[in-house]
Amino acid sequence: MGGTEGLDEATARWLTAAGREVVTRAAALFAEGEDALRIGVVLREGGLPPARAAAAAMAARARLAASANGWQADELLTTAAALEQASHPLVARWRSRRFAGHDTADLCAGTGSDATAIAATARRLVVVELDPGRVLLLAHNLRHHRAAAVRGDALRPPIAIGVAVHADPSRRTPRGRVRRLARYVPAVPALLAATEEAPGRAITVSPAVDLDDPDLPPGAEIEFIAVQGQLVEAVIWLGELRAPGVHATATLLPEERTWSRTTEVPGEVTIAPIGAILIEPNPALVRARGHDGLAERIGAHRVSRVRALLTTQSDPGPSPWYRRWLVEAVLPAHQRAVRTWLRSAPDAPLEIATAGIEATPSGWWEVLGRPQRGPQGRRLWLLRLDEGGVAVACRAI
């Protein structure tokens, strides 16, 4: 994980002591609507050196952002960079269940978003972070938990044999986000090599991880987690922490629903023309390659070999695993054909979604002569199928 945005060790130590009251005061000013520039002036007028005033303002703003994201953040000390990589609190608490009863090490710990959740379930917890400033903030945030914060390198972790491992390597570099596991910081292959003696391991990665990435370890379970319909995270589970026989899992939060795939290679269902209903699987299920299993369960077919959308002739009923769309028209994927249909459809789709077709919704709306009014239960799908493209007008059920 990267540095603490210029937060040196001395300033971090001040934040955890006399600076705590200053952070609380700055957070109150932010909550009252004061801007960062004015708060910095107020803090400096109170006698603070510029570096400490800036650090307190940064920590206050990060605390409010953490609180808005659902964290118990009344006394939290963190930074914007650490918070950006922090897991959603629902995800952290969900993931921590697998560490119940384990002696555990949390590597690349940042300022403790995962550690505070794991500490509530693990038998014992040691939390490892390389950056000295973050270690101090980490110790402050964990002071009420059964956990020890230490400075250490995740690639040479100061942990005993027999300890389960959680690691959250950074997916950001100075050049931006990375996708390949070998480009994480620290690199996932290096993390796996450094922790190979651990009885169980969990590596948090991007939900966009390539399932064909050559550094994805064999024998792993990959869990894709969605929060309120948005895909937010993936976890590589190994050893004792892997669900027995499971290759991939889709998880929905806060519903706490899971869908597991126990076959190494997903099955394939038949392809059929678009019927009366389109089924849009949850993105976590798609990433776990469970949508073919869903198709078998509800009697659906794929619309294409390369699309995750499914189709049925009859309504399968509601489910958190998919959205249902009633098909009103299947048209050529040409603006003229869609414009002609719109003239006879006063209650026309208000949202355009593309899948495999290089088009922008705004460009289509400009040609169609209709304003963008946002989704109101109607959609125009622009779909690339195995042979050509179609425009599917539909409404949500």
Side-chain angles (χ1 to χ4, degrees):
M1 187 176 285
T4 54
E5 303 167 306
L7 185 62
D8 61 84
E9 189 172 357
T11 302
R13 191 177 302 280
W14 171 80
L15 280 175
T16 65
R20 291 163 57 183
E21 183 180 344
V22 181
V23 174
T24 299
R25 182 153 45 96
L29 292 173
F30 273 119
E32 292 170 2
E34 294 285 359
D35 60 30
L37 182 61
R38 175 59 185 160
I39 291 172
V41 170
V42 170
L43 296 181
R44 290 193 298 274
E45 288 177 345
L48 281 180
R52 289 188 175 181
M58 174 191 65
R61 175 173 281 180
R63 176 181 293 178
L64 290 178
S67 180
N69 287 337
W71 287 102
Q72 295 293 325
D74 291 347
E75 297 182 329
L76 179 71
L77 290 178
T78 188
T79 68
L83 188 62
E84 184 176 350
Q85 188 169 330
S87 300
H88 191 286
L90 288 176
V91 176
R93 287 191 287 269
W94 171 261
R95 189 172 47 223
S96 71
R97 297 182 182 188
R98 297 211 195 186
F99 294 95
H102 287 273
D103 290 339
T104 303
D106 183 23
L107 310 182
C108 316
T111 56
S113 61
D114 288 306
T116 53
I118 296 173
T121 61
R123 183 166 56 187
R124 283 185 291 270
L125 177 65
V126 59
V127 188
V128 181
E129 169 59 42
L130 183 61
D131 184 277
R134 281 187 172 166
V135 171
L136 291 169
L137 302 189
L138 182 60
H140 165 84
N141 293 333
L142 290 170
R143 68 194 185 284
H144 299 312
H145 297 272
R146 295 173 301 169
V150 300
R151 186 182 179 195
D153 187 342
L155 299 183
R156 291 182 291 275
I159 57 176
I161 294 174
V163 173
V165 167
H166 169 264
D168 186 5
S170 176
R171 301 181 282 281
R172 279 188 175 275
T173 70
R175 296 184 178 181
R177 289 188 179 274
V178 297
R179 293 191 63 180
R180 286 290 180 181
L181 298 179
R183 297 185 62 194
Y184 281 44
V185 182
V188 171
L191 266 177
L192 293 171
T195 59
E196 61 182 350
E197 294 186 0
R201 293 175 287 177
I203 312 294
T204 298
V205 296
S206 165
V209 60
D210 186 349
L211 296 182
D212 296 319
D213 191 308
D215 292 310
L216 200 61
E221 171 198 357
I222 306 178
E223 181 181 20
F224 294 92
I225 305 173
V227 176
Q228 296 177 337
Q230 182 178 359
L231 190 60
V232 297
E233 206 157 271
V235 187
I236 300 171
W237 297 102
L238 290 159
E240 294 178 3
L241 298 179
R242 176 191 176 189
V246 173
H247 293 277
T249 299
T251 296
L252 307 184
L253 298 177
E255 300 90 341
E256 298 189 356
R257 290 178 177 262
T258 59
W259 183 300
S260 296
R261 174 168 58 82
T262 56
T263 57
E264 186 169 0
V265 179
E268 290 191 6
V269 298
T270 57
I271 298 168
I274 294 172
I277 308 291
L278 271 183
I279 303 294
E280 181 185 6
N282 184 281
L285 189 65
V286 174
R287 292 295 291 130
R289 295 181 177 175
H291 48 293
D292 283 327
L294 170 66
E296 293 177 356
R297 182 177 297 186
I298 64 174
H301 302 275
R302 278 193 180 219
V303 301
S304 160
R305 288 183 295 105
V306 295
R307 301 272 79 81
L309 285 170
L310 309 173
T311 188
T312 63
Q313 287 298 340
S314 59
D315 183 5
S319 169
W321 292 108
Y322 53 77
R323 294 183 68 187
R324 299 167 295 151
W325 298 92
L326 179 65
V327 175
E328 297 178 311
V330 180
L331 310 164
H334 302 301
Q335 292 164 341
R336 179 178 296 179
V338 173
R339 185 166 51 190
T340 299
W341 181 81
L342 284 173
R343 290 174 184 154
S344 62
D347 192 16
L350 301 177
E351 176 186 30
I352 294 178
T354 63
I357 288 183
E358 294 184 4
T360 61
S362 59
W364 268 68
W365 278 125
E366 184 177 349
V367 172
L368 295 175
R370 298 290 295 271
Q372 293 186 67
R373 289 175 284 174
Q376 295 182 11
R378 288 181 173 270
R379 177 176 289 182
L380 181 71
W381 280 100
L382 303 177
L383 301 177
R384 173 68 61 188
L385 304 181
D386 295 335
E387 297 181 2
V390 295
V392 184
C394 52
R395 61 180 174 84
I397 301 177

